C-alpha cells in the first residue's frame, strides 16, 4: 500500500464516504491515486469555496467526516472561508492539500503558489483546524493520520493534512484507529449528579439542543432523554432542523425577539436552561427579549460541562448523554405537552406578487402533498423564510453566516445521502457560488433551487436603508439554467410560483431553478420581526 492509499482507507474507516475537490499540479499525483484506487468516489466542482461547503454539508447531513481536496496555495487559500465556517460551526471536515515535494523545498527558488514561506499555508490553516500534519515521513504517517482523524471526530472540527507531491507513492503501513480516550467515570458521575440535581429543583427546566447533538450522532438519545425527563426541547437558530425525525417534545426554534413569542417566553423564563451541544453565539443569544444570564444555565459543549462556577473538563457529549440515560428511568407523568405550531399553508395561487412568506406557504403545501425534502439554505432572508417552513432536516450557516453555502451544500447533501434537496438562496449569494449547479449534470444531481431574487443585498438594506450600494442588477438567472444543464423558470406571481414548484417536483434528472422575483423591501414575516425586535432592544 502507498501513502495515499493508506490515507484513503483511513478516511473511509473513519466515516468518509466521498471526496469533493479541485486538483492543481501539486495535487495531481494524489488525485490520480484517488481516482485509480476507487477507495472513495471523487466529485470535482468549479471553485474551492464550493468544494469546502459541499464537503462540510456531507459531514453535517450524514455525520462522520467530510473531505475537501485541493492543491497548494491558490487552491487551499481559496477555501479558507469555507473551512473557517466549518470550524466555527463544528463540522468535521478533513482538508487534504497537495504540497511541494520534499526535494523542492531546498531548491532555493520561490515556488509558484507560495505566499510567503512554504509553510504559510500550514500556519494559516492552524488557526481554523484543530489538528494538522504534513505527511513528509512515511514511517510516521500511519500514527499521524490516526491522530489527526481522531482529533477531527473527537472535536467535531476541521483538520489539515498536507501531502508533499513526491511522497504519494511511498510504501506505507495501514492506519490503525486510535483507541477512544479514557473517561474519568467518577467525574462523569459527579457531573451527572449535579446536572440532574439542578434540573430537579428547577420549576421551568428547558433543554436547548445545539448542533453538536447531530455532529455526535445523538439525536435519538437526546430525544429519549428529554422524554424521560419530561423536558420541553427547543433548538437554537443554528440548531434548526435537529430532532425533526425523532419523537422529542420539540417546541420550536428559539430566536429571541425574532422568534415565536411562546418559545421566547419558555426559554427566557426558564430557571433551568440546559444547553446541550449548543454554540453560545450572538445569533443564538444576543437577540433575547429578556437577557439570559448564561451563568445560571447548564452548558455541555466543546467536551466540557459548566454549571454556574463549576466546570467539568473532558466530558464528551456522547458519554454525558449515555450516563444521563443510564440514570434517568423516565416518568410518564412528566410528559411535556407540546402545542403543535401551525406553519403557514394554503398559498392562494393568484396574480399577486410574491413575498418570501408566500414561498414558505408554497413549500409547506408541496411537503404536505409530496413529503418533506431536506433543505440546504444560504444566509439571507431565505434562511429566515426557512423558519416558516415545516420542520425538516436543514443545513445552513446560521451562526458564521457566510454567503455562498446554499448551492454547493445542496450538492454535497445529494451526493452523500442520495436525497433530493431543496436549496434556498438569495440572488447575492447565488452570484457567488450558484454556478456550481453546472456540475449537476455530470453526476445526476437534481436539486430544486428556489432563488429569492430581490435584486438586492436585502439583509443589509434592512439595517442601512439609506445606502444605494445594496442595489443589485437583475441578472437573468432563469435563462442561464439551460446552459448549465438544468431547467430554469422566472416566476413573479403566486400562481406562477405554485405551477413552477409542481413542475419541478415532477421533473427528475435535471436541476430545477425557480427564480422568484420578489419586490425590493419585501421581507419574510420572521425577518421583519427580527429587524423590528433588534431595533427595539437596541433603543431600550
Ligand atoms: N460576504 C460573505 C461571503 N458573507 C456575508 N455574510 C457577507 C459578505 C455580508 N452579507 C450578509 S447578508 C448580505 C451580505 C453581502 C446580502 C445577502 O444578499 P442575498 O444573498 O441576495 O440575500 P438577501 O439579503 O437579499 O435576502
Amino acid at each position: 500500500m502507498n501513502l495515499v492509499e493508506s490515507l484513503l482507507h483511513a478516511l473511509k474507516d473513519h466515516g468518509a464516504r466521498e471526496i469533493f475537490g479541485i486538483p492543481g499540479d501539486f495535487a495531481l499525483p494524489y488525485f490520480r491515486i484517488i481516482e485509480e484506487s476507487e477507495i472513495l468516489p471523487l466529485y470535482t466542482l468549479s471553485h474551492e469555496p464550493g468544494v469546502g461547503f459541499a464537503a462540510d454539508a456531507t459531514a453535517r447531513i450524514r455525520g462522520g467526516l467530510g473531505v475537501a481536496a485541493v492543491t497548494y496555495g491558490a487552491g487551499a487559500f481559496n477555501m479558507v472561508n469555507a473551512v473557517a465556517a466549518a470550524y466555527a460551526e463544528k463540522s468535521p471536515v478533513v482538508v487534504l492539500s497537495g504540497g511541494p515535494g520534499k526535494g523542492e523545498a531546498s531548491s532555493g527558488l520561490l515556488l509558484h503558489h507560495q505566499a510567503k514561506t512554504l509553510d504559510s499555508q500550514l500556519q494559516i490553516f492552524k488557526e481554523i483546524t484543530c489538528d494538522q500534519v504534513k505527511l513528509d515521513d512515511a514511517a510516521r504517517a500511519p500514527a499521524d493520520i490516526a491522530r489527526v482523524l481522531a482529533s477531527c471526530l473527537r472535536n467535531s472540527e476541521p483538520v489539515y493534512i498536507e501531502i508533499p507531491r513526491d511522497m504519494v507513492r511511498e510504501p506505507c503501513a495501514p492506519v490503525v484507529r486510535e483507541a477512544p480516550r479514557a473517561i474519568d467515570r467518577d467525574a462523569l458521575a459527579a457531573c451527572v449528579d449535579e446536572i440532574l440535581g439542578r434540573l430537579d429543583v428547577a420549576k421551568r427546566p428547558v433543554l436547548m439542543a445545539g448542533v453538536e447533538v447531530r455532529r455526535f450522532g445523538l439525536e435519538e438519545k437526546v430525544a429519549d432523554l428529554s422524554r424521560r425527563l419530561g423536558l420541553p426541547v427547543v433548538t437554537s437558530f443554528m440548531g434548526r432542523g435537529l430532532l425533526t425525525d425523532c419523537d422529542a417534545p420539540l417546541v420550536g426554534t428559539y430566536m429571541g425577539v425574532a422568534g415565536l413569542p411562546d418559545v421566547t417566553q419558555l426559554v427566557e423564563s426558564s430557571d433551568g436552561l440546559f444547553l446541550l451541544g449548543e454554540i453560545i453565539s450572538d445569533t443564538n443569544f444576543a437577540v433575547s427579549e429578556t437577557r439570559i444570564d448564561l451563568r445560571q444555565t447548564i452548558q455541555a459543549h466543546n467536551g466540557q460541562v459548566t454549571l454556574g462556577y463549576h466546570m467539568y473538563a473532558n466530558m464528551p457529549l456522547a458519554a454525558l448523554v449515555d450516563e444521563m440515560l443510564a440514570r434517568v428511568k423516565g416518568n410518564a407523568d412528566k410528559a411535556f405537552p407540546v402545542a403543535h405550531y401551525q406553519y403557514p399553508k394554503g398559498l392562494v395561487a393568484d396574480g399577486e406578487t410574491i413575498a418570501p412568506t408566500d414561498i414558505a406557504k408554497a413549500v409547506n403545501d408541496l411537503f404536505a402533498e409530496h413529503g418533506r425534502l431536506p433543505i440546504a439554505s444560504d444566509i439571507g432572508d431565505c434562511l429566515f423564510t426557512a423558519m416558516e417552513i415545516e420542520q425538516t432536516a436543514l443545513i445552513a450557516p446560521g451562526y458564521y453566516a457566510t454567503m455562498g453555502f446554499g448551492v454547493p451544500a445542496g450538492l454535497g447533501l445529494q451526493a452523500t445521502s442520495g436525497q433530493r434537496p431543496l436549496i434556498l438562496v438569495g440572488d447575492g449569494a447565488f452570484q457567488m457560488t450558484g454556478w456550481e449547479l453546472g456540475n449537476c449534470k455530470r453526476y445526476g444531481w437534481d436539486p430544486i433551487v428556489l432563488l429569492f431574487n430581490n435584486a438586492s443585498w436585502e439583509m443589509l438594506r434592512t439595517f442601512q436603508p439609506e445606502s444605494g450600494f445594496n442595489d443589485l442588477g437583475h441578472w437573468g438567472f432563469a435563462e442561464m439554467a439551460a446552459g448549465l444543464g438544468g431547467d430554469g423558470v422566472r416566476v413573479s406571481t403566486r400562481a406562477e410560483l405554485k405551477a413552477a414548484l409542481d413542475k419541478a417536483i415532477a421533473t427528475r434528472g435535471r436541476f430545477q431553478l425557480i427564480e422568484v422575483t420578489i419586490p425590493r423591501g419585501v421581507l419574510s414575516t420572521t425577518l421583519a420581526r427580527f429587524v423590528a425586535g433588534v431595533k427595539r432592544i437596541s433603543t431600550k
Side-chain angles (χ1 to χ4, degrees):
M1 196 182 316
N2 65 43
L3 181 128
V4 172
E5 287 165 347
S6 175
L7 170 63
L8 294 170
H9 281 298
L11 287 167
K12 190 170 181 181
D13 182 44
H14 285 75
R17 288 294 167 267
E18 62 285 296
I19 298 175
F20 279 89
I22 298 179
D25 60 342
F26 288 102
L28 281 172
Y30 87 87
F31 267 65
R32 179 173 181 170
I33 298 174
I34 294 175
E35 183 173 77
E36 290 177 357
S37 70
E38 297 183 352
I39 296 165
L40 288 170
L42 170 68
Y43 301 111
T44 64
L45 295 183
S46 305
H47 197 202
E48 283 82 1
V51 168
F53 292 139
D56 177 341
T58 64
R60 289 180 195 226
I61 205 74
R62 168 174 47 68
L65 302 177
V67 186
V70 288
T71 193
Y72 179 68
F77 286 136
N78 220 357
M79 206 167 66
V80 166
N81 178 54
V83 178
Y87 185 80
E89 299 189 346
K90 305 222 45 132
S91 184
V93 173
V94 181
V95 177
L96 301 182
S97 174
K102 286 200 321 187
E104 291 172 283
S106 55
S107 73
L109 297 172
L110 285 174
L111 292 183
H112 64 288
H113 296 335
Q114 174 179 341
K116 190 174 169 188
T117 72
L118 280 180
D119 275 343
S120 297
Q121 175 174 311
L122 172 63
Q123 294 304 329
I124 285 169
F125 275 88
K126 270 191 181 164
E127 193 63 19
I128 48 172
T129 56
C130 69
D131 206 346
Q132 311 78 27
V133 64
K134 195 194 272 193
L135 298 178
D136 52 10
D137 180 339
R140 233 186 36 225
D144 284 344
I145 294 169
R147 186 198 75 237
V148 167
L149 297 186
S151 301
C152 189
L153 289 174
R154 184 174 58 250
N155 299 304
S156 194
E157 285 168 350
V159 292
Y160 174 85
I161 299 178
E162 188 173 318
I163 311 163
R165 62 172 155 181
D166 57 1
M167 289 293 296
V168 300
R169 292 197 185 273
E170 288 289 307
C172 186
V175 173
V176 179
R177 261 187 107 124
E178 277 197 354
R181 290 195 176 166
I183 296 166
D184 181 337
R185 307 299 314 180
D186 294 341
L188 182 63
C191 175
V192 168
D193 279 346
E194 198 170 340
I195 295 175
L196 292 176
R198 282 284 294 275
L199 291 173
D200 201 38
V201 294
K203 292 190 179 61
R204 296 173 304 280
V206 174
L207 190 153
M208 188 186 288
V211 287
E212 282 186 24
V213 168
R214 172 152 233 179
R215 305 285 191 267
F216 293 111
L218 298 172
E219 283 174 280
E220 288 294 349
K221 287 184 178 177
V222 169
D224 188 11
L225 185 63
S226 59
R227 281 196 310 271
R228 293 194 202 178
L229 287 166
L231 288 181
V233 181
V234 298
T235 68
S236 56
F237 187 47
M238 182 61 220
R240 172 75 171 200
L242 285 173
L243 300 165
T244 46
D245 293 323
C246 309
D247 177 20
L250 188 59
V251 179
T253 304
Y254 173 71
M255 294 178 67
V257 291
L260 300 173
D262 287 358
V263 180
T264 302
Q265 155 77 12
L266 184 76
V267 170
E268 296 183 6
S269 68
S270 172
D271 57 349
L273 184 57
F274 184 16
L275 305 172
L276 193 68
E278 193 53 82
I279 295 176
I280 313 291
S281 73
D282 59 351
T283 41
N284 288 337
F285 292 101
V287 287
S288 308
E289 190 84 61
T290 314
R291 201 168 170 71
I292 297 175
D293 184 353
L294 289 170
R295 290 169 311 180
Q296 304 297 329
T297 59
I298 307 164
Q299 298 179 26
H301 59 99
N302 273 339
Q304 65 181 40
V305 174
T306 315
L307 300 98
Y309 301 107
H310 288 183
M311 207 250 269
Y312 295 85
N314 302 324
M315 291 290 130
L317 206 66
L320 183 78
V321 170
D322 281 344
E323 183 68 15
M324 290 187 77
L325 280 172
R327 299 278 197 89
V328 182
K329 292 292 165 257
N331 177 354
D333 299 344
K334 275 192 161 180
F336 187 88
V338 178
H340 279 287
Y341 175 68
Q342 293 301 319
Y343 287 92
K345 282 203 186 77
L347 179 77
V348 180
D350 58 12
E352 289 291 315
T353 56
I354 302 164
T357 297
D358 291 323
I359 301 178
K361 282 185 191 169
V363 171
N364 287 331
D365 293 345
L366 187 83
F367 284 5
E369 199 178 335
H370 299 277
R372 290 176 294 164
L373 301 179
I375 296 178
S377 177
D378 221 289
I379 194 73
D381 198 9
C382 57
L383 183 54
F384 287 88
T385 304
M387 302 300 133
E388 300 171 19
I389 294 175
E390 284 288 346
Q391 295 267 10
T392 184
L394 169 75
I395 51 175
Y399 152 50
Y400 181 78
T402 177
M403 290 163 74
F405 180 87
V407 169
L411 306 188
L413 191 161
Q414 184 156 18
T416 203
S417 71
Q419 291 174 281
R420 187 181 206 190
L422 180 66
I423 296 174
L424 308 180
V425 57
D427 55 320
F430 192 90
Q431 288 180 10
M432 293 186 177
T433 56
W435 315 109
E436 297 289 7
L437 285 177
N439 296 299
C440 287
K441 194 172 172 186
R442 286 189 295 149
Y443 298 121
W445 299 324
D446 59 357
I448 299 176
V449 185
L450 281 165
L451 197 170
F452 291 47
N453 190 0
N454 45 24
S456 168
W457 287 324
E458 197 61 44
M459 280 275 287
L460 302 187
R461 182 195 310 284
T462 54
F463 288 101
Q464 197 166 290
E466 58 279 19
S467 298
F469 53 69
N470 291 316
D471 291 355
L472 300 179
H474 248 291
W475 294 23
F477 298 107
E479 288 75 9
M480 295 175 200
L484 295 173
D487 296 329
V489 60
R490 181 176 304 108
V491 300
S492 309
T493 68
R494 303 196 290 197
E496 288 168 357
L497 172 62
K498 178 171 169 29
L501 265 175
D502 287 344
K503 178 162 178 287
I505 197 85
T507 312
R508 294 302 314 250
R510 294 162 65 80
F511 77 79
Q512 301 293 304
L513 177 68
I514 305 178
E515 180 191 338
V516 186
T517 306
I518 299 169
R520 275 192 193 141
V522 177
L523 307 180
S524 66
T525 312
T526 309
L527 180 57
R529 202 164 49 214
F530 177 73
V531 175
V534 168
K535 287 187 178 155
R536 193 168 66 242
I537 51 177
S538 62
T539 54
K540 258 187 189 171

